[in-house]
Amino acid sequence: MATTIDYDCIIIGAGFAGLRALIETRRRGLSAKLIEAGSDVGGTWHWNRYPGARTDSESWVYCFSFDEDLLQDWVWPERYPDRSAMQRYLSHVADRFDLRRDIEFGTRVERAVRDDDTNTWTVECDAETTLRCTFLIPAVGPLSAAYEPPFPGLESFRGERYLTARWPEEEVDVSGKRVAVVGTGATGVQLIPQLAQTAGHLTVFQRTPNYVMPARNCPIDPAQDKAIKADYPAIWEQVRGQVFGFPMNPAGRVFSDVDENEARRVLERGWEIGGFRFLFETFDDLLVDQRCNDVASEFVRNKIRAIVRDRDTAELLAPKNHPLGSKRPPLGHYYYETYNRANVSLVDVSTDPIEQITETGLRLADGSVHDVDVLIFATGFDAATGALTAIDIRGSEGRSLREVWADGARTHLGIAVTGFPNMFMLGGPGFPFGNFPPTTEVAVEWAADAIEHLRESGHDVMEADVEAMDAWSRTLQEIVDATVLGQGEAVNTWFLGANVPGKAHVPLFYLGGIPGYFAELQDSVDRGYSGFTFSRTVGNKPESARV
């Protein structure tokens, strides 16, 4: 008897990766269903509704590139669009390509189980829906599983309490209230200036200071919009050739090329232009040459000292025990300036940690108590693995991804895992870190090509080799060891999983640059999908999916 499958592909998640995967599978003649826990498309832009949420990539490249008409028709309002602009864009994409008819909203995937005998994945959802497919495509995003506040006594707090990654849809009014924000990562850096404008008093609890780059956000006028659209071929060439997928060219210089005065001029220019250009258009060896990084790090510390009037506060905000780039640097929108406000104070919890949440606020290890009306946790994410291990995904031998990754996540190319045939992850561990939309587009097309190759070759099963996974893990570690990025472990960087207690500390991202990753994908194809084993199901064979 043949086993009926409902779809060729089941995609999990309706963010950038999931929507692009749905578009591409349709184009290849594959039937597909997308399962989304939220009430609308958007992924991280659906869930992260906190005030100040916006992109850290420039709008005209934080988008899809596959459709020229879409590129030319859409008008971006700002250099760095806010959350509402991103939600409008992704909703427009869903409507333009008629994607909603194949999306099941308000449905969370709880379990996915592999059956080798029938070459199927059985996907079980919380809505008591069970579907079968040949190819499982988790597109849950690298930063979507919120890291819950780890402090005892949370439930005892009698005031308002919020987690930034699960911000409510209704407006949160903090006018005149005593507000505490715990966390100064990228989310906290965006949120804090917004809250400070209306809060009666805002207290920021900081464990690790960040190197915050000025964003220099601005509106995009019609002339600039026209120029960008005319220059898109060159812009996308820049993006695909830049280390983190940004529309930038290499600096063309290293630190040893210049004297002290010229080095300062170069760094000043990078700071004033704003965005990540300080990192990538100043010196090409900033992340690999310790001397260059030391100078750039001190440059940023001096900028903080110049901006923040109170000397003690400035010194607390100035990172001193990790180099620039070892933690993901956020972009700021008047972040440091916020600490000049009379209604904002900073509390260092690096040596005096939060010990307990009380009925009225927070108690630190030294016994001091901070009473507040509103508690807001910007505690980040269980990056790369958290959203995947939250689903009970079980492979050929019945073992879950959570079990397989207990001692550290391993993948091949950030896409496949040995023991989980016909599963193509998008944005999981081992995937490149950088500007996500253009990166995931290439990965989606690679996965679709692989499925076509699989079928054209007369096979129906594709699985990563364990040797290839081992080699990819070594590659990730070698890249970290060759840069300043490994020093982030001491300050709990989520690049290495160090922000979540008990999580194995291994590189969670390919940090060798977008061009290097694209070359790895192409090399695999050129060598007949090296690192993968192809086979054919024996015996029970699934019937075709419905379209």
Side-chain angles (χ1 to χ4, degrees):
M1 293 289 294
T3 299
T4 300
I5 63 172
D6 299 286
Y7 300 94
D8 293 317
C9 307
I10 291 180
I11 303 160
I12 309 173
F16 267 103
L19 296 181
R20 185 66 182 87
L22 182 54
I23 291 168
E24 194 63 28
T25 50
R26 278 186 183 176
R27 286 181 164 187
R28 307 296 180 105
L30 299 166
S31 61
K33 187 74 170 179
L34 193 156
I35 310 297
E36 167 55 45
S39 59
D40 200 356
V41 300
T44 190
W45 302 108
H46 171 77
W47 296 106
N48 285 270
R49 309 180 186 97
Y50 62 86
R54 67 175 63 242
T55 74
D56 276 355
S57 297
E58 286 156 323
S59 57
W60 54 91
V61 294
Y62 192 77
C63 58
F64 292 120
S65 63
F66 70 94
D67 187 277
E68 182 64 25
D69 291 338
L70 175 62
L71 285 170
Q72 295 298 321
D73 292 346
W74 187 257
V75 177
W76 292 105
E78 297 177 279
R79 180 181 182 183
Y80 299 103
D82 65 13
R83 178 258 170 189
S84 62
M86 290 310 309
Q87 186 65 33
R88 287 195 302 273
Y89 171 74
L90 290 167
S91 293
H92 172 76
V93 170
D95 294 336
R96 186 184 186 109
F97 295 96
D98 191 24
L99 302 183
R100 296 180 192 275
R101 62 182 168 88
D102 288 324
I103 303 176
E104 189 74 32
F105 290 111
T107 304
R108 188 175 298 277
V109 174
E110 294 186 334
R111 200 164 189 253
V113 180
R114 168 72 185 176
D115 184 343
D116 284 348
D117 290 338
T118 60
N119 189 30
T120 57
W121 283 94
T122 298
V123 178
E124 301 173 8
C125 305
D126 60 356
E128 298 184 356
T129 302
T130 299
L131 299 169
R132 288 183 177 84
C133 64
T134 305
F135 302 103
L136 182 67
I137 306 178
V140 291
L143 297 174
S144 59
Y147 174 47
E148 299 290 339
F151 311 111
L154 275 175
E155 300 304 322
S156 68
F157 182 64
R158 294 187 308 211
E160 301 171 56
R161 176 164 57 92
Y162 303 101
L163 183 64
T164 53
R166 295 294 179 265
W167 200 263
E169 293 190 46
E170 62 273 13
E171 181 182 357
V172 175
D173 184 7
V174 299
S175 299
K177 298 176 182 177
R178 299 169 299 172
V179 181
V181 172
V182 178
T184 54
T187 296
V189 164
Q190 292 182 337
L191 174 68
I192 287 163
Q194 297 295 313
L195 296 177
Q197 295 179 42
T198 56
H201 191 87
L202 173 63
T203 305
V204 178
F205 293 83
Q206 172 190 270
R207 182 179 64 178
T208 307
N210 257 310
Y211 294 93
V212 180
M213 305 287 103
R216 311 291 189 218
N217 189 36
C218 59
I220 298 175
D221 62 30
Q224 185 183 8
D225 177 67
K226 183 177 179 180
I228 288 169
K229 289 173 177 176
D231 200 32
Y232 254 136
I235 289 173
W236 288 119
E237 186 175 350
Q238 278 184 310
V239 166
R240 292 171 184 130
Q242 203 273 341
V243 62
F244 285 112
F246 298 126
M248 306 174 192
N249 292 320
R253 71 175 75 84
V254 294
F255 187 67
S256 60
D257 289 339
V258 302
D259 60 21
E260 182 178 341
N261 289 334
E262 179 66 8
R264 170 166 286 280
R265 189 193 72 79
V266 168
L267 293 172
E268 285 284 1
R269 176 183 177 277
W271 181 266
E272 290 304 319
I273 291 174
F276 292 124
R277 294 175 190 274
F278 183 84
L279 289 174
F280 302 119
E281 290 190 340
T282 51
F283 297 102
D284 290 332
D285 55 349
L286 192 148
L287 294 180
V288 296
D289 182 277
Q290 189 66 57
R291 191 168 65 100
C292 178
N293 192 283
D294 288 345
V295 171
S297 298
E298 183 63 13
F299 178 93
V300 178
R301 286 191 285 267
N302 284 332
K303 285 293 184 183
I304 298 168
R305 292 163 182 145
I307 294 169
V308 180
R309 287 194 287 265
D310 183 82
R311 289 189 176 185
D312 292 339
T313 301
E315 289 306 315
L316 287 177
L317 289 166
K320 300 180 183 66
N321 60 349
H322 66 284
L324 173 63
S326 60
K327 286 177 69 74
R328 187 266 208 211
L331 297 192
H333 302 266
Y334 304 103
Y335 175 69
Y336 292 124
E337 291 85 346
T338 299
Y339 291 93
N340 291 328
R341 298 178 63 104
N343 69 328
V344 177
S345 57
L346 180 67
V347 176
D348 176 23
V349 293
S350 61
T351 57
D352 186 17
I354 299 169
E355 188 175 77
Q356 181 89 21
I357 306 300
T358 69
E359 291 184 351
T360 59
L362 305 91
R363 185 173 70 243
L364 306 187
D366 69 355
S368 62
V369 176
H370 297 263
D371 289 337
V372 296
D373 305 305
V374 183
L375 261 178
I376 298 174
F377 295 97
T379 44
F381 298 91
D382 185 353
T385 60
L388 288 161
T389 56
I391 304 170
D392 186 15
I393 301 177
R394 296 189 173 267
S396 297
E397 298 177 0
R399 296 182 68 203
S400 69
L401 266 183
R402 177 179 288 276
E403 293 172 298
V404 171
W405 286 347
D407 296 325
R410 295 190 309 145
T411 68
H412 181 40
L413 299 173
I415 293 176
V417 181
T418 304
F420 295 78
N422 289 356
M423 182 176 77
F424 299 93
M425 298 179 300
L426 300 170
F431 201 73
F433 180 77
N435 187 16
F436 191 67
T439 308
T440 198
E441 281 204 274
V442 172
V444 164
E445 291 172 5
W446 184 93
D449 287 342
I451 292 173
E452 282 194 352
H453 173 81
L454 183 68
R455 292 185 160 186
E456 289 169 359
S457 66
H459 300 102
D460 58 9
V461 180
M462 181 177 180
E463 181 177 2
D465 299 333
V466 67
E467 295 83 4
M469 282 210 312
D470 291 341
W472 191 244
S473 295
R474 288 194 299 271
T475 296
L476 302 186
Q477 187 64 58
E478 288 165 1
I479 293 168
V480 167
D481 292 342
T483 68
V484 301
L485 300 171
Q487 298 179 47
E489 184 170 9
V491 287
N492 308 299
T493 177
W494 48 264
F495 283 162
L496 305 174
N499 65 314
V500 177
K503 187 172 181 176
H505 293 191
V506 297
L508 290 175
F509 298 92
Y510 175 86
L511 297 168
I514 302 303
Y517 181 73
F518 291 169
E520 294 276 5
L521 291 180
Q522 188 59 50
D523 181 64
S524 174
V525 174
D526 292 343
R527 294 193 289 147
Y529 292 90
S530 60
F532 293 89
T533 298
F534 293 85
S535 60
R536 183 164 186 81
T537 306
V538 177
N540 196 8
K541 184 178 179 181
E543 294 178 349
S544 297
R546 63 172 182 258
V547 178

